[in-house]
Amino acid sequence: MRACPTEALRVIEGKAHLHANRCIDCGECYRVCPTGAIIVEQDDFQNIFNYKRRVALIPSVLLGQYPDNVTPGMVIQALKNIGFTDVFEVEDSVEYLIPQINEYIAKNQNKKPIISSFCPAIVRLVQVKFPWLVGNILLIRPPLDLTASYIRGMLTSNGVSNNDVGIFYITPCAAKIAAIKSPVGEEFSELNGVINMDLIYNRTLHEIKKKNVNKIPNSFLSDLSARSITWALTNGEAVNIDGRCMAIDGIHNVIEFLEKIENDEVNGVDFLELRACDESCAGGILAAANRFITAELLRNHAKQFLKPDQSSNNQNKLQKYEQLLMGKINLNRVEPRSMVKLDEDMAKAMKKMERVKRLMCYLPGVDCGVCGAPSCLALAEDIVQGEGAISHCVFLQKIMEQNKLDPEHSFRIMKKIWGTNRFYKDCDKPIQNK
Amino acid sequence: MNFEFKVQGGDFVRAGNASSQVKKILKQLNVDSAIIKRVVVALYEGEVNIAAHAFNGIINVEIDTERILIKLDDNGPGIPDIDLAMQPGYSTASPIVREMGFGAGMGLPNIKNNSDDFKISSVVGKGTHLEITVNLKSTKEEV
């Protein structure tokens, strides 16, 4: 509950409830949930078989998940064994994108700093928590979407029927799933489905362990350039963009920094690469390997090349499809969806704020969370919005019991928040040793 | 509604606290973002001024549905020539303050530019008093 950076979670009847309009799909709650109660919705793997051309669109971080003796070639072979007909890398469009981003920044000097649209959790964070900064978001589609357009265009222009093409993204995070299921700044997504990286990791590793995959020596199959390989890592974008660029990872770090940007305390920055996860996509919540090891592995892959824009194969294959992509590179305007206002009407909002202030005089300020809200202030705001009661606070219950609150009743209130089971003896409750 | 904030002279680390808090409050009150921006910029400059020149100060923010009124009172050296102090680029900031990236002489003019009504008075050897008003239905928006 307290892991949520936008205070979107409340505990009711022993379960975590999500305020959908506050949620930014960052997945921080998934990361910390002790019981695994939070699941990341994905498409049924069997759906891939509805298509003749079953494309696995993999992010480079997938190739950084496996043990040392599993080479990228073996992973791709394993993906084909489990049912895919084609494997493409998300970062295929990075070389094509870099000049486009630079051009965009040069043209939009009045919107500085430009905030990268790469991380969908960040786009949503800006919408709900920093609504004034939505105009700063880079209105260029991220590599995932652009590569999907490219694959679809390439396959259909080679005679494959559009209906036969099924593009499935293997995701390291929840935000990308949400971005595909309910895209921001796009009418539709070119992807047919999303499959969680942990599921793919298990299935492919199983194939490899069963020795259904030939040992393929460490020849690098991918034809990505060095900077494309590291694009999804922290500082992957920032080092390749002109001007003064900064890279910040970790949702709380990002929030802290955006506060400063919003206050005009930071000047002269041209471009901000902001990522919700620590170590960016290597730290995605559905990743299997340790994020630092994944990042190191990918950086080592990239080091095989002398120059950052050098690749093992023919680069910039997207150029051929320039015509097709030109119409698809831009995002529509991103609209704010502010969650912070207490009321549309300022006079009403002021009344509510006065009430919050008064409530805070009585609430203990220890932010224990026993009321089911992440902080005393969050409870006070819930009360004012009619979604909570002062008797939810254990401290105030004690005081109220001295007057007229029946102890039996306050017990019922706690059961209502945490569920009846919470009050039974349970030796098997999940305990996380730190 | 009234909110009060204290500012310590020389404490640039915390200069910006009041403007951050006020920003959050105004966002919750659903105040237009362009107006919040002007309030925050003016208040931040005011905070930095107190940190740079005075020993300490008190900021009082009054909000109603018509306007936001900010009063900044400091105990400090005061300003001997207000007209001069209001000139863009004029600064008496010490070299140490300038080294920290402040003291470019744009503080007071910037506050004035961002407010709908601006009052300043000062007693040398005692302190400076600023009153910044930003109207919610700002005349600066009407074209």
Side-chain angles (χ1 to χ4, degrees), chain A residues 189-230:
Chain A
S189 170
E190 305 247 15
L191 290 134
N192 299 82
V194 195
I195 297 164
N196 290 352
M197 188 177 281
D198 50 357
L199 179 140
I200 293 295
Y201 176 78
N202 286 339
R203 291 216 180 179
T204 49
L205 200 58
H206 197 229
E207 276 302 301
I208 293 163
K209 293 280 181 209
K210 280 196 308 192
K211 306 220 187 301
N212 290 345
V213 174
N214 296 330
K215 274 248 176 291
I216 299 172
N218 202 5
S219 65
F220 208 60
L221 281 192
S222 147
D223 54 6
L224 293 180
S225 65
R227 56 186 185 178
S228 304
I229 294 170
T230 54

Side-chain angles (χ1 to χ4, degrees), chain A residues 113-150:
Chain A
I114 302 290
I115 297 171
S116 170
S117 56
F118 176 89
C119 177
I122 296 299
V123 172
R124 279 150 207 261
L125 174 74
V126 171
Q127 280 183 296
V128 304
K129 217 174 160 119
F130 300 96
W132 319 347
L133 297 177
V134 290
N136 296 51
I137 293 172
L138 172 74
L139 294 181
I140 290 185
R141 293 164 74 215
L144 169 62
D145 309 43
L146 206 61
T147 304
S149 295
Y150 152 71

Side-chain angles (χ1 to χ4, degrees), chain A residues 129-133 258-265 338 340-347 349-351 353-354 357 377 381, chain B residues 1-3 15-16 19-20 23-34 36-37 40-41 44 63-66 68 136:
Chain A
K129 217 174 160 119
F130 300 96
W132 319 347
L133 297 177
L258 287 178
E259 292 277 357
K260 291 211 172 290
I261 294 286
E262 210 180 36
N263 290 1
D264 263 348
E265 286 176 47
S338 172
V340 286
K341 57 190 172 211
L342 289 169
D343 204 290
E344 287 290 336
D345 178 345
M346 187 180 168
M350 280 177 67
K351 283 220 172 73
M353 188 175 281
E354 294 277 13
K357 264 177 94 179
L377 186 59
E381 287 173 5
Chain B
M1 292 181 89
N2 273 300
F3 297 89
S19 47
S20 263
K23 179 184 73 180
K24 282 181 188 150
I25 291 164
L26 295 178
K27 271 181 168 183
Q28 285 193 306
L29 295 177
N30 200 23
V31 172
D32 182 77
S33 62
I36 302 183
K37 192 139 213 166
V40 168
V41 169
Y44 179 67
I63 304 168
D64 63 37
T65 50
E66 298 294 317
I68 296 150
L136 289 175

Side-chain angles (χ1 to χ4, degrees), chain A residues 217-327:
Chain A
N218 202 5
S219 65
F220 208 60
L221 281 192
S222 147
D223 54 6
L224 293 180
S225 65
R227 56 186 185 178
S228 304
I229 294 170
T230 54
W231 191 255
L233 301 179
T234 302
N235 231 334
E237 290 173 88
V239 292
N240 291 302
I241 304 301
D242 301 338
R244 187 176 161 210
C245 303
M246 291 180 73
I248 297 165
D249 60 4
I251 190 88
H252 294 285
N253 298 335
V254 169
I255 290 172
E256 182 190 333
F257 198 77
L258 287 178
E259 292 277 357
K260 291 211 172 290
I261 294 286
E262 210 180 36
N263 290 1
D264 263 348
E265 286 176 47
V266 186
N267 292 310
V269 177
D270 297 299
F271 180 78
L272 286 175
E273 168 202 311
L274 307 174
R275 309 280 177 80
C277 296
D278 185 28
E279 291 293 316
S280 298
C281 298
I285 59 168
L286 301 168
N290 176 278
R291 58 191 183 279
F292 303 108
I293 292 171
T294 302
E296 188 216 13
L297 213 113
L298 293 180
R299 292 213 162 90
N300 285 343
H301 282 178
K303 269 190 206 150
Q304 298 174 354
F305 309 110
L306 288 170
K307 292 189 208 138
D309 58 351
Q310 188 187 352
S311 73
S312 52
N313 258 310
N314 158 44
Q315 193 36 248
N316 232 342
K317 48 194 174 186
L318 271 70
Q319 220 79 61
K320 256 171 73 184
Y321 299 91
E322 175 109 48
Q323 285 279 298
L324 184 139
L325 293 172
M326 268 327 278

